[in-house]
């Protein structure tokens, strides 16, 4: 094959994860709020979540996940081009989590920035990284989702505090010249609707220490929009690539609610074994949920090189989107 037939793409060459040591079961939550294991498990599929200790910050967890992704790909931190961190729970307004992670990793050459798109943060980050790599701006980007939602949960609101957990996931993207049917990020599609900002938001700005920021959600409304918007985003990804659902090897959805995940899987006609689910173990870790799920399925051997993987997410904003990757 001549070089002219090759195209520059962003390949996923490594993943990593970090979960806080403390595991909080649904039974543990009943000691804190008026809820039950049955309600949480039946309505959401969640059985447990991880809650961060004081030292397990977005930077700490993101650096651990990022370090693991670099090691998996065999790329030295000094060679890394950029770091993008999807987070709604940065340690500080600035310096950004990304730049703090740059320091922690010793990734001296890398520039970095945080990206605010709530639960869609990883898909948004992946899209920006893919565009930067295709444009030739950088040769490698670490895309990280790192979240400490336990610090913005309102434990007086049982409708939200049982749903979220903490953690970080990372994916390394590296430039490669590949044939059209080769590996890499094939497409990303991003969307937003700010008119729906009031159905899922955090009611406070960073630094207002006298008024702790809390997550607020109209769960029923978010649920209603999630199913139809996510179905649209996955259809858009398939259409753009001239594919059908039968071509997809694995769906790696944002992990908010097992019922939403099942709904999208059913719309695609995918059997359950081709839908990656971690919401039972991690709960909703916002921007970290997709890279955590991706990492779990790659390391346990389900997702193998060559697999066609569809990602989708929806979060506060509203923001939503999809990405199609061949490993
Ligand atoms: O990641 C960002 C995207 N977020 C999402 O995708 C979340 C989308 N929404 C959801 O997943 C679901 O709407 C929830 C899991 C949040 C709620 O499930 P639901 O089936 O929509 O329940 P609901 O809010 O309609 O509440 C049903 C009942 C209510 O009682 P009444 O008014 O019917 O008597 C609630 O008070 O369940 C009650 N309830 C609870 N009961 C026990 C709400 N939270 C709890 C709880 N434990 N933790």
């Amino acid at each position: 094959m001549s070089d002219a037939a090759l195209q520059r793409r962003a390949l996923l060459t490594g993943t990593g994860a970090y979960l806080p040591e403390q595991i909080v079961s649904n039974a543990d939550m009943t000691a804190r709020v008026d809820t039950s294991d049955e309600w949480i498990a039946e309505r959401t599929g969640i059985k447990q979540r991880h809650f961060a200790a004081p030292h397990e910050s977005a930077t700490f967890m993101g650096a651990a996940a990022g370090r693991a992704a670099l090691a998996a790909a065999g790329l030295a931190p000094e060679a890394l081009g950029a770091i993008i961190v999807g987070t709604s729970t940065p340690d500080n307004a600035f310096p950004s989590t990304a730049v703090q992670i740059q320091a922690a990793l010793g990734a001296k050459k890398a520039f970095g920035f945080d990206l605010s798109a709530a639960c869609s943060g990883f898909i948004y980050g992946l899209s920006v990284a893919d565009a930067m790599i295709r444009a030739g701006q950088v040769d490698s980007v670490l895309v990280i989702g790192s979240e400490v939602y336990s610090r913005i949960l309102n434990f007086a609101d049982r409708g939200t505090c049982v749903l979220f957990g903490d953690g970080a996931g990372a994916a390394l993207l590296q430039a490669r010249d590949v044939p059209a049917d080769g590996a890499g990020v094939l497409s990303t599609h991003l969307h937003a609707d700010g008119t729906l900002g009031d159905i899922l938001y955090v009611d406070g700005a960073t630094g207002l220490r006298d008024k702790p920021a809390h997550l607020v959600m109209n769960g029923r409304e978010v649920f209603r929009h999630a199913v139809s918007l996510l179905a649209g985003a996955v259809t858009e990804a398939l259409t753009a690539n001239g594919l059908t659902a039968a071509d997809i090897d694995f769906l790696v959805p944002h992990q908010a609610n097992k019922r939403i995940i099942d709904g999208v899987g059913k719309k695609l006609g995918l059997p359950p074994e081709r839908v990656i689910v971690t919401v039972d173990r991690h709960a909703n870790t916002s921007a970290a949920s997709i890279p955590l799920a991706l990492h779990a399925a790659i390391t346990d051997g389900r997702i193998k090189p060559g697999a066609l993987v569809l990602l989708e997410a929806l979060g506060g904003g509203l923001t939503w989107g999809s990405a199609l990757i061949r490993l």
Side-chain angles (χ1 to χ4, degrees), residues 33-36 39-40 43-44 119 158-160 162-164 200 217-224 226 254-257 259-260 284 286 314-316:
V33 281
D34 177 19
T35 188
S36 66
W39 191 95
I40 302 171
R43 300 284 178 134
T44 72
C119 300
R158 67 177 182 170
T160 54
V162 301
L163 305 175
F164 295 87
L200 175 51
M217 178 168 73
N218 180 338
R220 238 179 252 186
E221 274 300 291
V222 176
F223 195 109
R224 194 169 67 80
H254 170 49
Q255 309 283 321
N257 186 321
R259 290 188 288 145
I260 297 174
N284 183 346
S286 191
L314 174 135

Side-chain angles (χ1 to χ4, degrees), residues 228-323:
S228 62
L229 293 175
L230 289 172
V234 297
T235 306
E236 191 177 23
L238 294 174
T239 307
N241 290 280
L243 299 168
T244 68
D247 297 309
I248 301 302
D249 293 311
F250 287 97
L251 175 69
V252 183
H254 170 49
Q255 309 283 321
N257 186 321
K258 180 75 164 47
R259 290 188 288 145
I260 297 174
I261 295 171
D262 289 346
V264 177
K266 214 179 238 175
K267 273 215 156 95
L268 287 171
L270 289 178
E273 62 272 17
R274 279 161 57 195
V275 180
I276 306 302
V277 176
T278 51
V279 70
D280 53 334
R281 290 176 278 151
H282 303 163
N284 183 346
T285 56
S286 191
S289 94
I290 290 178
L292 277 171
L294 195 56
H295 178 74
I298 288 174
T299 49
D300 70 19
R302 276 178 291 169
I303 297 184
K304 297 186 175 65
L308 191 60
V309 180
L310 182 56
L311 317 179
E312 47 87 336
L314 174 135
L318 290 183
T319 56
W320 69 98
S322 60

Side-chain angles (χ1 to χ4, degrees), residues 11-144:
L11 263 63
L12 197 157
T13 54
T15 59
Y18 181 88
L19 288 159
E21 273 170 39
Q22 190 196 0
I23 294 175
V24 179
S25 69
N26 289 349
D28 295 333
M29 290 301 287
T30 63
R32 220 166 158 177
V33 281
D34 177 19
T35 188
S36 66
D37 176 40
E38 296 71 39
W39 191 95
I40 302 171
E42 272 171 27
R43 300 284 178 134
T44 72
I46 296 165
K47 295 185 180 127
Q48 62 173 49
R49 73 283 295 137
H50 293 246
F51 276 173
H55 71 283
E56 291 173 313
S57 63
T59 298
F60 178 91
M61 297 194 299
R67 196 175 289 118
L70 288 170
L75 186 75
E78 300 79 27
L80 182 64
I83 302 171
I84 301 176
V85 180
T87 186
S88 310
T89 48
D91 304 346
N92 301 294
F94 67 84
S96 67
T97 314
V99 168
Q100 289 173 281
I101 289 173
Q102 183 247 26
L105 296 178
K108 292 193 178 103
K109 205 170 67 120
F111 64 91
F113 56 91
D114 289 2
L115 188 152
S116 172
C119 300
S120 310
F122 183 76
I123 300 246
Y124 267 57
L126 194 73
S127 182
V128 175
D130 177 46
M132 290 196 308
I133 285 176
R134 281 181 195 257
Q137 187 179 6
V138 282
D139 288 333
S140 56
V141 185
L142 198 49
V143 183
I144 300 173

